[in-house]
Amino acid sequence: MQLRRVAVTGLGLVCSQGNHPLAVFTQWRQGLGGIASHSLGGQAHTLDMPYALCADFDPAEKWGRAATSTMDRVSLLSLSAASDAWQDAGAAASPSAENAGVFWGTGAAGAGTVDKAYRDLFLNHRSRISPLSVVQGMHNAAASHIALRLALGGPCFTYSVACASSAIAIGEAFLRIQQGQLDIALAGGGEAVLPYGSLKAWESMQIVAPAALGAQACRPFHADRAGLVLGEGAAALVLEDMQHATARGAPIYAEIIGYASTCDHHHLTSPASSGQVRAMQQALRHAGLQPAQIDYVNAHGTATKDGDATEIDSLRQVFGSYAPSLAVSSTKSMHGHLLGAAGAIESLACVLSLHQQYAPPTANLQHIAPDCLGVELIAPSDKPSRPLQRVLSNSFAFGGSNAALILQAANLHNS
């Protein structure tokens, strides 16, 4: 079977720093983030914690109050990013739009809707809850709203694989197009973990950075890293058969050339290098590359003690003697950990790194931890050292699921 080339032709984003991908990427280049301490939750119960909040997001401006009242926040964020990506790609005019696929990732899905239903029943002692609770809270709601609004009649899938959800969604869409099953797809993910109960659950795990650290709370690879910082938002990529995209004159931001997913089968929450190493090695084989052909890695880099050290160890194993020259950063330091949407926003960061020829730094990285040495970690003060041709995006999840995506610059052809 002749495998097809897969282009990225559209980008859409909603995050704590805005909804214009290039403008947000400019902030990432400078090491500027959207993390701050907030009082989150609602009504009688709130919690102070650092969070990357989409404070200025107003879906009613685009969709109207009547439409938005029927959707959970995660669907609204997702629909906004997806529709912007679809418009950016000029895909509505494509003859294949009716058969376009939707591949979407989310970890918590309609957490806000579920939380409100329980509050109404058990806190407010109501005998009825909203009749929309089921359809607002179901995991496939966001993907379904995207397909409905944009009239996309191809396969519509939702992937819920914790923090690897949207990376797997993008990878599976890539495979469908590469193998000739689809010409075009919208892929990405969304997350909105704001309810008090959800936040308390994360706090109870003792892996969330303290609120006192404020904007500097997320410190991947730092000697004093103190835990992850949650965030909300959505990111979308339009993936398209290269010939299909070229024929209709679509913009080509980058190309996806490799993907793999594996499972650690080790522990529900503790990462293991074995599965991460296999994911990266399999993605390299899928792309037909040697490790030294990767110029930059957008790491999973959550700023947890075990997670960062394990990932750096995995990179050292995969890249061997080339590892000290491997540029690595974690953009989570700026946009927070979007959980099920993390792989989507980080893939978007990789696309723009290739398009703008600039690898963004890890914010707040002043002192590298001894257990994170062995690769070239990019700090905000560093200058770009080489052209970017091929980049790797890692997503590693609770449950031991791993995903690795490899992208290359639009002007390259990987034979």
Side-chain angles (χ1 to χ4, degrees):
M1 177 177 61
Q2 181 68 39
L3 297 178
R4 302 194 298 181
R5 298 172 63 193
V6 180
V8 179
T9 59
L11 301 174
L13 174 67
V14 183
C15 72
S16 60
Q17 294 165 274
N19 61 354
H20 299 288
L22 284 173
V24 172
F25 187 76
T26 298
Q27 296 179 59
W28 293 343
R29 286 180 55 155
Q30 299 168 14
L32 301 176
I35 292 170
S37 292
H38 296 278
S39 292
L40 301 168
Q43 295 186 345
H45 302 286
T46 60
L47 178 67
D48 291 332
M49 67 164 46
Y51 196 92
L53 179 70
C54 299
D56 298 327
F57 175 65
D58 184 6
E61 289 184 3
K62 180 179 289 188
W63 309 110
R65 296 276 175 205
T68 57
S69 65
T70 64
M71 300 184 214
D72 185 274
R73 186 172 176 85
V74 70
S75 293
L76 294 167
L77 291 164
S78 298
L79 180 59
S80 182
S83 61
D84 284 353
W86 198 244
Q87 182 177 11
D88 184 42
S94 167
S96 300
E98 172 65 23
N99 295 316
V102 179
F103 295 74
W104 208 250
T106 184
T113 294
V114 175
D115 183 81
K116 183 180 183 303
Y118 288 155
R119 280 192 285 110
D120 284 345
L121 284 173
F122 303 122
L123 185 63
N124 300 325
H125 306 294
R126 294 176 181 168
S127 60
R128 296 183 70 253
I129 61 175
S130 169
L132 295 174
S133 296
V134 170
V135 294
Q136 287 179 333
M138 63 190 189
H139 271 66
N140 67 325
S144 297
H145 281 297
I146 291 167
L148 286 165
R149 281 276 174 176
L150 302 178
L152 308 182
C156 184
F157 292 132
T158 297
Y159 298 84
S160 191
V161 199
C163 306
S165 298
S166 55
I168 289 173
I170 292 169
E172 295 299 315
F174 160 66
L175 291 180
R176 288 291 188 104
I177 296 171
Q178 188 186 52
Q179 295 169 5
Q181 299 176 44
L182 279 176
D183 289 331
I184 188 168
L186 240 172
E191 204 75 274
V193 185
L194 285 170
Y196 177 75
S198 298
L199 298 173
K200 287 296 289 184
W202 281 98
E203 181 196 47
S204 297
M205 293 189 73
Q206 299 183 336
I207 58 172
V208 177
L213 295 175
Q216 286 76 46
C218 191
R219 305 173 177 182
F221 315 121
H222 196 287
D224 297 324
R225 62 191 185 273
L228 60 83
V229 173
L230 297 170
E232 65 169 357
L237 280 61
V238 176
L239 308 186
E240 194 167 350
D241 168 54
M242 184 68 77
Q243 289 186 349
H244 184 271
T246 302
R248 68 179 189 85
I252 310 293
Y253 286 102
E255 185 177 354
I256 301 181
I257 60 172
Y259 160 66
S261 61
T262 63
C263 183
D264 292 344
H265 58 81
H266 162 70
H267 190 275
L268 198 63
T269 59
S270 179
S273 290
S274 58
Q276 297 178 6
V277 167
R278 284 186 289 110
M280 288 186 272
Q281 289 176 336
Q282 289 175 23
L284 285 165
R285 286 198 294 272
H286 187 188
L289 299 179
Q290 296 299 314
Q293 292 177 277
I294 298 295
D295 300 304
Y296 163 66
V297 175
N298 188 296
H300 187 60
T302 60
T304 59
K305 293 290 185 183
D306 289 346
D308 287 6
T310 301
E311 183 170 11
I312 295 299
D313 178 59
S314 299
L315 290 169
R316 289 193 297 255
Q317 291 185 52
V318 171
F319 289 91
S321 61
Y322 174 64
S325 302
L326 180 67
V328 178
S329 72
S330 172
T331 50
K332 284 185 178 72
S333 58
M334 296 175 280
H335 54 64
H337 192 349
L338 271 60
L339 304 178
I345 194 170
E346 289 154 25
S347 294
L348 183 146
C350 286
V351 169
L352 290 176
S353 295
L354 291 165
H355 189 259
Q356 299 294 298
Q357 284 295 292
Y358 200 103
T362 301
N364 313 314
L365 183 61
Q366 291 88 32
H367 305 290
I368 299 173
D371 56 6
C372 293
L373 295 172
V375 298
E376 185 184 331
L377 290 168
I378 310 170
S381 59
D382 295 339
K383 302 295 183 184
S385 59
R386 74 180 102 176
L388 299 181
Q389 296 185 332
R390 299 176 183 91
V391 303
L392 167 68
S393 179
N394 281 336
S395 295
F396 306 137
F398 281 174
S401 293
N402 309 297
L405 289 162
I406 297 177
L407 303 92
Q408 74 176 12
N411 60 349
L412 290 181
H413 182 233
N414 192 50
S415 57

